PDB file of all heavy atoms in Angstrom:
ATOM      1  N   ALA C  94     -21.884 -10.014  20.675  1.00 89.00           N
ATOM      2  CA  ALA C  94     -22.101 -10.346  19.259  1.00 89.00           C
ATOM      3  C   ALA C  94     -20.776 -10.521  18.535  1.00 89.00           C
ATOM      4  O   ALA C  94     -20.600 -11.459  17.740  1.00 89.00           O
ATOM      5  CB  ALA C  94     -22.937  -9.259  18.586  1.00 89.00           C
ATOM      6  N   GLY C  95     -19.826  -9.619  18.797  1.00 82.00           N
ATOM      7  CA  GLY C  95     -18.532  -9.726  18.149  1.00 82.00           C
ATOM      8  C   GLY C  95     -17.797 -11.003  18.531  1.00 82.00           C
ATOM      9  O   GLY C  95     -17.124 -11.615  17.697  1.00 82.00           O
ATOM     10  N   TYR C  96     -17.932 -11.427  19.789  1.00 81.00           N
ATOM     11  CA  TYR C  96     -17.255 -12.633  20.255  1.00 81.00           C
ATOM     12  C   TYR C  96     -17.918 -13.898  19.712  1.00 81.00           C
ATOM     13  O   TYR C  96     -17.240 -14.813  19.231  1.00 81.00           O
ATOM     14  CB  TYR C  96     -17.241 -12.658  21.777  1.00 81.00           C
ATOM     15  CG  TYR C  96     -16.647 -13.918  22.369  1.00 81.00           C
ATOM     16  CD1 TYR C  96     -15.270 -14.123  22.363  1.00 81.00           C
ATOM     17  CD2 TYR C  96     -17.463 -14.901  22.921  1.00 81.00           C
ATOM     18  CE1 TYR C  96     -14.718 -15.277  22.891  1.00 81.00           C
ATOM     19  CE2 TYR C  96     -16.925 -16.060  23.451  1.00 81.00           C
ATOM     20  CZ  TYR C  96     -15.545 -16.249  23.439  1.00 81.00           C
ATOM     21  OH  TYR C  96     -15.024 -17.398  23.965  1.00 81.00           O
ATOM     22  N   LEU C  97     -19.250 -13.953  19.787  1.00 85.00           N
ATOM     23  CA  LEU C  97     -19.966 -15.178  19.420  1.00 85.00           C
ATOM     24  C   LEU C  97     -20.101 -15.366  17.914  1.00 85.00           C
ATOM     25  O   LEU C  97     -20.189 -16.496  17.434  1.00 85.00           O
ATOM     26  CB  LEU C  97     -21.362 -15.169  20.061  1.00 85.00           C
ATOM     27  CG  LEU C  97     -21.392 -15.188  21.595  1.00 85.00           C
ATOM     28  CD1 LEU C  97     -22.822 -15.036  22.103  1.00 85.00           C
ATOM     29  CD2 LEU C  97     -20.770 -16.480  22.139  1.00 85.00           C
ATOM     30  N   LEU C  98     -20.128 -14.251  17.178  1.00 81.00           N
ATOM     31  CA  LEU C  98     -20.380 -14.334  15.733  1.00 81.00           C
ATOM     32  C   LEU C  98     -19.203 -13.824  14.917  1.00 81.00           C
ATOM     33  O   LEU C  98     -19.374 -13.344  13.799  1.00 81.00           O
ATOM     34  CB  LEU C  98     -21.641 -13.530  15.382  1.00 81.00           C
ATOM     35  CG  LEU C  98     -22.931 -13.964  16.085  1.00 81.00           C
ATOM     36  CD1 LEU C  98     -24.061 -12.981  15.791  1.00 81.00           C
ATOM     37  CD2 LEU C  98     -23.329 -15.369  15.655  1.00 81.00           C
ATOM     38  N   GLU C  99     -18.005 -13.959  15.456  1.00 75.00           N
ATOM     39  CA  GLU C  99     -16.820 -13.404  14.803  1.00 75.00           C
ATOM     40  C   GLU C  99     -16.640 -13.936  13.388  1.00 75.00           C
ATOM     41  O   GLU C  99     -16.393 -13.171  12.446  1.00 75.00           O
ATOM     42  CB  GLU C  99     -15.576 -13.714  15.635  1.00 75.00           C
ATOM     43  CG  GLU C  99     -14.291 -13.175  15.032  1.00 75.00           C
ATOM     44  CD  GLU C  99     -13.080 -13.502  15.880  1.00 75.00           C
ATOM     45  OE1 GLU C  99     -13.236 -14.211  16.903  1.00 75.00           O
ATOM     46  OE2 GLU C  99     -11.973 -13.066  15.514  1.00 75.00           O
ATOM     47  N   ASP C 100     -16.769 -15.242  13.206  1.00 78.00           N
ATOM     48  CA  ASP C 100     -16.562 -15.834  11.879  1.00 78.00           C
ATOM     49  C   ASP C 100     -17.592 -15.326  10.871  1.00 78.00           C
ATOM     50  O   ASP C 100     -17.259 -15.056   9.702  1.00 78.00           O
ATOM     51  CB  ASP C 100     -16.633 -17.358  11.962  1.00 78.00           C
ATOM     52  CG  ASP C 100     -15.465 -17.957  12.734  1.00 78.00           C
ATOM     53  OD1 ASP C 100     -14.446 -17.262  12.877  1.00 78.00           O
ATOM     54  OD2 ASP C 100     -15.585 -19.101  13.205  1.00 78.00           O
ATOM     55  N   PHE C 101     -18.842 -15.180  11.318  1.00 81.00           N
ATOM     56  CA  PHE C 101     -19.896 -14.686  10.427  1.00 81.00           C
ATOM     57  C   PHE C 101     -19.589 -13.263   9.969  1.00 81.00           C
ATOM     58  O   PHE C 101     -19.686 -12.943   8.775  1.00 81.00           O
ATOM     59  CB  PHE C 101     -21.245 -14.727  11.147  1.00 81.00           C
ATOM     60  CG  PHE C 101     -22.345 -14.009  10.421  1.00 81.00           C
ATOM     61  CD1 PHE C 101     -22.933 -14.562   9.295  1.00 81.00           C
ATOM     62  CD2 PHE C 101     -22.783 -12.762  10.853  1.00 81.00           C
ATOM     63  CE1 PHE C 101     -23.945 -13.896   8.615  1.00 81.00           C
ATOM     64  CE2 PHE C 101     -23.797 -12.089  10.190  1.00 81.00           C
ATOM     65  CZ  PHE C 101     -24.378 -12.657   9.061  1.00 81.00           C
ATOM     66  N   PHE C 102     -19.186 -12.406  10.912  1.00 78.00           N
ATOM     67  CA  PHE C 102     -18.912 -11.017  10.551  1.00 78.00           C
ATOM     68  C   PHE C 102     -17.689 -10.919   9.643  1.00 78.00           C
ATOM     69  O   PHE C 102     -17.679 -10.114   8.706  1.00 78.00           O
ATOM     70  CB  PHE C 102     -18.701 -10.177  11.819  1.00 78.00           C
ATOM     71  CG  PHE C 102     -19.979  -9.926  12.592  1.00 78.00           C
ATOM     72  CD1 PHE C 102     -20.070 -10.267  13.934  1.00 78.00           C
ATOM     73  CD2 PHE C 102     -21.076  -9.353  11.983  1.00 78.00           C
ATOM     74  CE1 PHE C 102     -21.237 -10.041  14.649  1.00 78.00           C
ATOM     75  CE2 PHE C 102     -22.253  -9.127  12.684  1.00 78.00           C
ATOM     76  CZ  PHE C 102     -22.329  -9.470  14.018  1.00 78.00           C
ATOM     77  N   GLU C 103     -16.658 -11.735   9.890  1.00 75.00           N
ATOM     78  CA  GLU C 103     -15.488 -11.723   9.021  1.00 75.00           C
ATOM     79  C   GLU C 103     -15.857 -12.126   7.599  1.00 75.00           C
ATOM     80  O   GLU C 103     -15.330 -11.581   6.624  1.00 75.00           O
ATOM     81  CB  GLU C 103     -14.413 -12.659   9.580  1.00 75.00           C
ATOM     82  CG  GLU C 103     -13.706 -12.110  10.815  1.00 75.00           C
ATOM     83  CD  GLU C 103     -12.602 -13.023  11.287  1.00 75.00           C
ATOM     84  OE1 GLU C 103     -12.464 -14.127  10.705  1.00 75.00           O
ATOM     85  OE2 GLU C 103     -11.885 -12.639  12.226  1.00 75.00           O
ATOM     86  N   GLU C 104     -16.769 -13.091   7.467  1.00 80.00           N
ATOM     87  CA  GLU C 104     -17.221 -13.510   6.139  1.00 80.00           C
ATOM     88  C   GLU C 104     -17.953 -12.372   5.426  1.00 80.00           C
ATOM     89  O   GLU C 104     -17.790 -12.163   4.223  1.00 80.00           O
ATOM     90  CB  GLU C 104     -18.133 -14.720   6.274  1.00 80.00           C
ATOM     91  CG  GLU C 104     -18.627 -15.268   4.941  1.00 80.00           C
ATOM     92  CD  GLU C 104     -19.575 -16.442   5.105  1.00 80.00           C
ATOM     93  OE1 GLU C 104     -19.680 -16.957   6.227  1.00 80.00           O
ATOM     94  OE2 GLU C 104     -20.208 -16.832   4.106  1.00 80.00           O
TER      95      GLU C 104
END
Side-chain angles (χ1 to χ4, degrees):
Y96 176 75
L97 296 174
L98 301 173
E99 180 180 4
D100 292 341
F101 169 75
F102 288 125
E103 287 183 355
E104 182 182 349

